[in-house]
Amino acid sequence: MNSVLPLIKNETIKIIKKKRFYVILLILLVLVPIFTYAQMRSAEQTRAKFHGDWRLEVQQQITDNENSLGSDRVPEEWKKYRKVLVQQLQYYLDHDINPNEPNGVTFTREFMANSITLFIPLLIMAIASDIVSGERTTGTIKMLLTRPVKRWKVLLSKLVALYMFTSLTVVAAFVITYVISGAFFGYQGFNLPVFTGFQITGSNVDLSAVHAVPQWKYLLMQGGLVWFVSLTVASLAFMVSVLIRSTAASIVVMMAALIAGSILTNMASAWNSAKYLFMVNLDLTDYLSGTPAPIEGMTLGFSLTVLSVWAVAALIISFLVFTRRDILN
Amino acid sequence: MPVTDNPSAQDHIVLSVEHVKKKIGRKWIIEDVTFDVREGEIFGFLGPNGAGKTTTIRMLVDLIKPSSGTIKVCGFDVNKQQEQALSYVGSIVENPEMYTYLTGWENLEHFARMQPGIDRERIQEVVNIVRLDQRIHDKVSTYSLGMRQRLGIAQALLGRPKLLILDEPTNGLDPKGIKELRQFIRELAEDGLAVFVSSHLLSEIQLLCDRVAIISLGRVLAVGEVEELVAANAKYVIWDLEPVEAGKRELTSRQEIEVIEQVDRVLDDTIIAGMGPNAIVTRMEEEDIAGMVLHLVNSGISVQGVHKINPTLEQLFLKMTEGESIE
Amino acid sequence: MNSSKWIWRIVSIVSILATLLLLIGFVYAIKDIQYPQAGQTPSAAQPQENHEAKGPEAKKEIKIAAIGDSLAKGTGDNTGMGFARRTVNELAKDTGKKVILLNNLGINGLTTTGLLPKLEERGTQYVLGQADIILLSIGGNDLFQGAESAVKGIAGTSSTATGLELDPKDLLKGLPKASTQLKAILERIRAINPNAWIVYIGLYNPFGDIKDLQIPGNQAVSSWNQAALETINKNSNMMLVPTFDLFQHNLDKYLSSDHFHPNGDGYQQIAERIVQAIR
């Protein structure tokens, strides 16, 4: 029967021609310079504070940490951490990189870590919220569904196109952030070591496995996690878009959920079962950087499972509703 | 996937609707709809707004699933074998809503991709048929309503359908456009296409259609040749008599004449407005008029006017629906 | 109309590549977080370029760097200044010039073996290269290893006479090797900064008041200092500041409670001597 590929092609062309993706790129192009400028101002301030030579500063840090390595009273696991820290600082000196002065790659990494819960999902929603409800608002859904194509194929093509643009959005966010912040801070920094491997058990951080990875690899891993979160958000927004006729309303619903998530993250540590909500589990990069999870019992595996369950449930609902529903208007 | 063996090609029936019912919420929107549409005919679907026309059309193209009953296109069940059934159907449901941010051509390409066997040449062909070739590479957002309607028809014709479904096709068109469209639909039917046209404009159906189904409150009241249905109905005669009371008594006393008390339930406002204050509306056979006039004159009643109202589908409809208002 | 063809080609190819890239990143992330492997560090590249060493020009500023063991760091000084900071203060008073302590690179428990590789580090080289005066204290831990390990704790916490656990015979054992390394250290620093004054702080015997350790300790310290002098005398702009005599009969007065490191007064004495030496 009909292949789904031409339908995906249709959806892709529609997203591009409807300038949805341009909107996303535009948002990035406008906002990233603003964030970059803010970062640059704060970097200027720190530079003014260390009026001296940053190399001396870093060397002193190394010496201080090496001193604490010698002490018996420092726990063994902290020593490991410090050893890695010294290695990292050493790297800065060896490669003539001022750790207090951001570079394009570091800025991108930090920016992405901050964007994963709200900013990137918002961009994804710009496409996802509109993808089905947009056709209903304009009435073109009737044209779409009176073709000799099964409804699930139509919906599948929209989902695949959405996932394609989700990947594109995530990569575009990285690339644009890097290119713009690089213009301010320089494009180097890919080989800078970054810590990872923190194992969080409850409120304790197990540092025994801490190690440094080059920043490009960290960025890659971060990208992977951002992508997974984005796919989940895309799936949920997709469902909302199927269920709600108005694009604006579906954006509002998704935004409400995401903002609720960020509020809950800050205050829900006492409410343990909140960890089963998808919006509390969006900050996957925390597991990479070693920030303790907001609610006890949350691990990467747990969060991935919660997100997957929500996403799959959303897709099942989307397909069930879409294939059965009467198009009344 | 052009299907070669057609399960039931008998009688050239392209669309068959059998006892279709639809319940939305607790309400039966469509209570019982049955009709057939044959090859090469223009089939009208007449009913007031809210009668269930749009719901029925949506069921024909699988936008809505009927609660019971079957709809078959060229022998394929629309709800169970939608891919086969809908490949024979081209349709515009309500307004021809196209993607306004695409050009006309891109819209056609878009719909062409949803159906196998439609190449560039076919797209160019339908563009020529609807005479949009001048503006086809402009964005649809710049199109006039008439152009959108034509683009909608082009879209419907893309897949070389056997059945064309047009929902209120003359909506929003100017008189010239309506005339053109009528001409165009006739040409399509002459080429063997079955055209299903819904309308609440009775004159429209009368001018355009070969056969008609009249629907009201979710039921099909009548199906048949437009001419037959009109002929089968009694005619109205308006009398202007002096004195009125005596005249009325005379008319009422005759068995073959029916005097209609609630005039506004059977006649148009325009006709009622043209009547005198003492006019009496009757339903009677044409050949009885002369004898009646003679009788009235002999009874000392002066006949000041006798008007024969030419039967229209409109009145036919009013009669069938017992005065349910149309607009 | 051809634009849609290109849109499709570009978008599909780029999005597939993007998806693959992100998928790889995702797999990496899972692997890294779920099964972290410690100690995996990027190969720290060796310094490629030599930092040009700036000599002690007759400037208004005098830059001082301290490097070496706990003495250089100032362990035992309750004020935390150590001889490095105190030298800076004294020198400023004495010369009226602006004196800057670039860095104090002293690390508790550092031995000659530990110091040598440090000198190859770019950061160390950078600091030393900028200094006009380099204060070096090293060797105490080579000699008093056992004692050192027993008093490793921060000054003031292990106040018992821990030196007793030390076997006197061991004192001289590591001497030959250590003094060779000291020579290497001095030469390396000279190479890093040919123009700076290098001030080596001689050793004292912290166990001068412990009967069993007094004699072997004295012997060890003086042979060490002797070995150091051999190298130092061959170099201009290099000097040894003796401390042996300072502490010899003033251990109570100048040692901190850990009985190993000097206290604030002890460091002050060392600092004054340093200033005298370089004047």
Side-chain angles (χ1 to χ4, degrees):
Chain A
M1 279 291 148
N2 277 346
S3 160
V4 181
L5 204 63
L7 304 185
I8 299 172
K9 190 172 169 182
N10 274 345
E11 296 305 323
T12 306
I13 290 166
K14 278 190 276 183
I15 291 172
I16 290 287
K17 292 271 181 174
K18 211 176 178 185
K19 309 217 160 50
R20 288 279 154 187
F21 192 58
Y22 295 155
V23 168
I24 288 175
L25 295 183
L26 200 70
I27 293 174
L28 283 168
L29 288 173
V30 169
L31 286 184
V32 171
I34 295 174
F35 294 136
T36 311
Y37 182 73
Q39 173 78 39
M40 196 180 70
R41 289 307 295 265
S42 86
E44 269 168 9
Q45 271 185 359
T46 28
R47 206 178 308 146
K49 229 183 288 171
F50 302 126
H51 46 84
D53 193 329
W54 66 267
R55 291 181 188 84
L56 303 178
E57 205 65 47
V58 171
Q59 184 59 46
Q60 194 61 61
Q61 258 179 293
I62 293 176
T63 309
D64 292 348
N65 276 293
E66 282 180 336
N67 269 317
S68 71
L69 281 177
S71 171
D72 277 338
R73 305 194 318 140
V74 176
E76 224 21 67
E77 53 172 35
W78 279 100
K79 283 189 185 169
K80 275 187 180 145
Y81 171 68
R82 289 192 188 220
K83 259 181 212 158
V84 184
L85 180 65
V86 167
Q87 277 172 335
Q88 191 188 30
L89 292 169
Q90 203 69 62
Y91 182 93
Y92 292 140
L93 286 174
D94 285 347
H95 291 84
D96 217 18
I97 296 158
N98 183 354
N100 297 317
E101 192 161 77
N103 55 59
V105 185
T106 309
F107 178 83
T108 307
R109 173 170 63 84
E110 283 168 1
F111 181 69
M112 281 301 144
N114 288 322
S115 305
I116 189 169
T117 52
L118 221 51
F119 186 55
I120 299 287
L122 184 73
L123 295 180
I124 301 295
M125 278 155 48
I127 293 178
S129 296
D130 180 64
I131 199 157
V132 178
S133 63
E135 301 254 11
R136 295 186 71 199
T137 311
T138 57
T140 45
I141 187 107
K142 291 178 297 192
M143 297 290 181
L144 206 58
L145 295 185
T146 53
R147 303 284 106 197
V149 177
K150 288 219 164 71
R151 282 195 190 180
W152 67 264
K153 285 185 184 171
V154 173
L155 195 64
L156 181 66
S157 70
K158 284 188 173 291
L159 185 66
V160 172
L162 173 60
Y163 282 170
M164 281 166 61
F165 277 92
T166 303
S167 294
L168 285 178
T169 304
V170 172
V171 170
F174 272 91
V175 170
I176 289 177
T177 309
Y178 172 66
V179 168
I180 292 179
S181 64
F184 285 82
F185 306 127
Y187 292 103
Q188 75 280 30
F190 276 108
N191 288 317
L192 228 67
V194 183
F195 288 135
T196 185
F198 303 86
Q199 286 162 302
I200 298 149
T201 43
S203 54
N204 296 320
V205 181
D206 178 6
L207 298 164
S208 59
V210 165
H211 57 279
V213 294
Q215 197 155 240
W216 64 264
K217 198 172 165 187
Y218 190 95
L219 222 52
L220 187 67
M221 298 196 285
Q222 202 185 26
L225 295 175
V226 172
W227 178 66
F228 188 85
V229 168
S230 302
L231 287 185
T232 307
V233 172
S235 307
L236 287 161
F238 188 70
M239 174 188 75
V240 175
S241 183
V242 168
L243 295 180
I244 298 180
R245 205 175 116 81
S246 142
T247 303
S250 59
I251 288 181
V252 167
V253 168
M254 280 306 291
M255 275 313 288
L258 290 177
I259 290 169
S262 65
I263 295 171
L264 276 176
T265 311
N266 290 329
M267 54 185 249
S269 54
W271 175 28
N272 202 273
S273 19
K275 67 185 175 186
Y276 297 107
L277 297 172
F278 82 91
M279 50 271 206
V280 177
N281 286 286
L282 293 179
D283 217 344
L284 290 186
T285 50
D286 270 2
Y287 298 112
L288 211 53
S289 63
T291 315
I295 300 172
E296 209 173 311
M298 283 169 65
T299 62
L300 178 71
F302 175 83
S303 288
L304 290 180
T305 312
V306 169
L307 293 177
S308 309
V309 168
W310 277 80
V312 169
L315 293 183
I316 291 173
I317 292 171
S318 305
F319 276 88
L320 285 182
V321 170
F322 190 78
T323 50
R324 291 178 183 190
R325 179 168 45 198
D326 291 339
I327 308 297
L328 292 170
N329 42 20
Chain B
M1 31 100 262
V3 177
T4 43
D5 69 321
N6 195 331
S8 64
Q10 86 270 24
D11 298 340
H12 308 293
I13 288 178
V14 177
L15 169 69
S16 95
V17 178
E18 279 171 46
H19 301 295
V20 164
K21 295 175 185 177
K22 176 67 186 177
K23 192 181 186 180
I24 294 175
R26 286 181 171 184
K27 202 180 164 214
W28 287 99
I29 302 293
I30 303 296
E31 291 192 45
D32 192 357
V33 169
T34 300
F35 60 86
D36 291 331
V37 178
R38 299 175 201 135
E39 210 172 85
E41 77 174 350
I42 304 173
F43 188 89
F45 196 52
L46 177 65
N49 288 344
K53 269 182 301 161
T54 298
T55 308
T56 307
I57 287 178
R58 282 168 190 264
M59 287 195 285
L60 298 184
V61 291
D62 195 38
L63 289 175
I64 297 179
K65 313 237 183 281
S67 304
S68 69
T70 53
I71 300 167
K72 286 185 176 174
V73 175
C74 297
F76 294 104
D77 190 312
V78 167
N79 299 113
K80 290 180 183 129
Q81 300 157 287
Q82 56 265 77
E83 292 197 348
Q84 291 95 325
L86 289 176
S87 66
Y88 295 107
V89 182
S91 63
I92 304 176
V93 180
E94 281 180 317
N95 305 315
E97 278 124 346
M98 312 295 276
Y99 299 101
T100 49
Y101 48 87
L102 299 179
T103 65
W105 184 271
E106 284 166 343
N107 266 292
L108 293 178
E109 273 189 330
H110 174 275
F111 293 113
R113 280 188 208 102
M114 301 187 76
Q115 216 164 338
I118 303 174
D119 50 16
R120 268 187 75 90
E121 281 67 37
R122 176 61 185 166
I123 298 177
Q124 192 57 55
E125 212 174 294
V126 294
V127 169
N128 293 339
I129 292 175
V130 298
R131 294 185 291 280
L132 261 180
D133 36 330
Q134 297 284 320
R135 298 282 310 276
I136 196 66
H137 293 297
D138 293 349
K139 283 235 164 81
V140 172
S141 50
T142 66
Y143 283 19
S144 69
L145 198 63
M147 292 168 73
R148 290 185 196 201
Q149 189 71 263
R150 278 190 272 164
L151 184 61
I153 291 172
Q155 167 274 137
L157 292 176
L158 262 184
R160 302 180 184 86
K162 297 200 166 169
L163 172 66
L164 183 63
I165 297 174
L166 303 174
D167 189 3
E168 308 270 2
T170 53
N171 253 9
L173 293 187
D174 55 18
K176 184 170 167 273
I178 292 175
K179 215 172 162 188
E180 274 178 13
L181 182 74
R182 222 179 271 148
Q183 180 60 30
F184 179 67
I185 291 174
R186 281 209 195 92
E187 282 167 20
L188 290 174
E190 275 160 27
D191 294 342
L193 198 64
V195 184
F196 178 96
V197 180
S198 83
S199 183
H200 67 280
L201 292 173
L202 313 149
S203 53
E204 189 59 55
I205 298 278
Q206 208 166 5
L207 281 167
L208 185 62
C209 299
D210 305 318
R211 291 203 306 141
V212 67
I214 296 173
I215 182 173
S216 173
L217 296 172
R219 285 175 184 278
V220 168
L221 302 176
V223 185
E225 303 272 328
V226 174
E227 299 305 320
E228 274 175 23
L229 279 173
V230 169
N233 270 276
K235 293 100 191 171
Y236 295 102
V237 176
I238 300 170
W239 300 88
D240 213 348
L241 305 176
E242 183 63 42
V244 181
E245 289 310 314
K248 201 167 191 174
R249 228 177 295 121
E250 285 300 326
L251 287 170
T252 316
S253 66
R254 292 299 190 100
Q255 217 175 6
E256 69 270 21
I257 298 172
E258 184 192 342
V259 176
I260 292 161
E261 298 293 340
Q262 285 169 297
V263 174
D264 56 333
R265 291 189 64 185
V266 294
L267 291 184
D268 265 12
D269 287 348
T270 47
I271 297 167
I272 294 170
M275 297 187 318
N278 298 324
I280 302 161
V281 178
T282 61
R283 182 155 58 201
M284 60 190 293
E285 292 303 314
E286 209 175 325
E287 56 264 30
D288 296 335
I289 295 173
M292 194 61 212
V293 172
L294 192 63
H295 174 76
L296 285 169
V297 172
N298 290 343
S299 311
I301 296 164
S302 87
V303 178
Q304 295 180 330
V306 181
H307 298 277
K308 202 170 72 182
I309 310 264
N310 282 329
T312 62
L313 202 51
E314 194 146 7
Q315 286 132 28
L316 162 71
F317 177 79
L318 282 167
K319 184 182 160 254
M320 282 180 168
T321 58
E322 322 237 283
E324 188 196 335
S325 82
I326 296 180
E327 199 81 45
Chain C
M1 35 180 167
N2 260 344
S3 74
S4 31
K5 194 185 273 175
W6 282 107
I7 287 172
W8 168 242
R9 279 186 194 168
I10 292 168
V11 170
S12 57
I13 291 169
V14 174
S15 67
I16 286 167
L17 290 179
T19 307
L20 284 178
L21 179 75
L22 295 169
L23 194 65
I24 291 169
F26 182 65
V27 172
Y28 260 125
I30 303 259
K31 245 169 78 181
D32 204 277
I33 297 174
Q34 302 292 62
Y35 316 102
Q37 291 175 319
Q40 192 187 33
T41 33
S43 53
Q46 291 301 306
Q48 303 105 326
E49 38 172 313
N50 278 323
H51 242 280
E52 73 270 37
K54 293 172 196 122
E57 295 138 286
K59 289 184 296 185
K60 287 167 286 181
E61 282 185 350
I62 300 173
K63 291 178 191 158
I64 294 181
I67 188 165
D69 53 20
S70 47
L71 254 71
K73 185 173 183 288
T75 305
D77 188 341
N78 289 335
T79 65
M81 292 199 291
F83 67 72
R85 180 79 49 200
R86 286 170 195 271
T87 302
V88 168
N89 293 344
E90 288 302 313
L91 200 61
K93 240 188 279 172
D94 197 61
T95 59
K97 288 182 182 174
K98 191 180 176 193
V99 183
I100 299 167
L101 180 63
L102 284 176
N103 260 147
N104 187 339
L105 303 181
I107 291 169
N108 284 331
L110 197 70
T111 63
T112 50
T113 319
L115 181 56
L116 267 172
K118 288 228 158 295
L119 293 176
E120 301 309 321
E121 284 171 12
R122 187 151 177 189
T124 313
Q125 290 182 354
Y126 181 82
V127 173
L128 295 182
Q130 292 213 319
D132 300 316
I133 296 167
I134 298 167
L135 305 178
L136 170 67
S137 165
I138 196 74
N141 296 309
D142 297 68
L143 282 192
F144 308 114
Q145 207 113 53
E148 171 69 11
S149 69
V151 294
K152 226 183 231 170
I154 295 160
T157 56
S158 51
S159 54
T160 47
T162 46
L164 283 170
E165 294 153 27
L166 189 67
D167 185 348
K169 282 171 227 158
D170 285 346
L171 274 178
L172 291 169
K173 216 168 68 179
L175 190 68
K177 188 190 167 213
S179 59
T180 323
Q181 282 177 335
L182 174 65
K183 192 174 169 223
I185 288 168
L186 287 165
E187 278 164 3
R188 188 76 190 99
I189 295 176
R190 173 83 300 154
I192 292 169
N193 189 340
N195 303 317
W197 286 82
I198 299 169
V199 179
Y200 177 70
I201 316 301
L203 295 190
Y204 60 88
N205 182 8
F207 308 121
D209 56 352
I210 298 164
K211 219 193 276 167
D212 285 347
L213 289 174
Q214 188 184 14
I215 303 302
N218 285 351
Q219 275 176 351
V221 166
S222 47
S223 19
W224 173 270
N225 287 343
Q226 196 57 43
L229 266 175
E230 269 173 37
T231 314
I232 289 165
N233 286 341
K234 285 181 205 148
N235 282 281
S236 58
N237 289 352
M238 216 184 259
M239 65 196 69
L240 182 138
V241 171
T243 57
F244 182 80
D245 56 321
L246 254 180
F247 288 85
Q248 181 71 346
H249 299 295
N250 299 314
L251 286 178
D252 289 343
K253 215 164 122 193
Y254 291 146
L255 276 197
S256 68
S257 46
D258 67 4
H259 214 86
F260 187 77
H261 295 104
N263 58 17
D265 290 341
Y267 279 120
Q268 183 63 29
Q269 291 299 319
I270 297 175
E272 280 167 14
R273 281 208 171 176
I274 293 170
V275 172
Q276 280 169 14
I278 55 182
R279 187 153 44 191

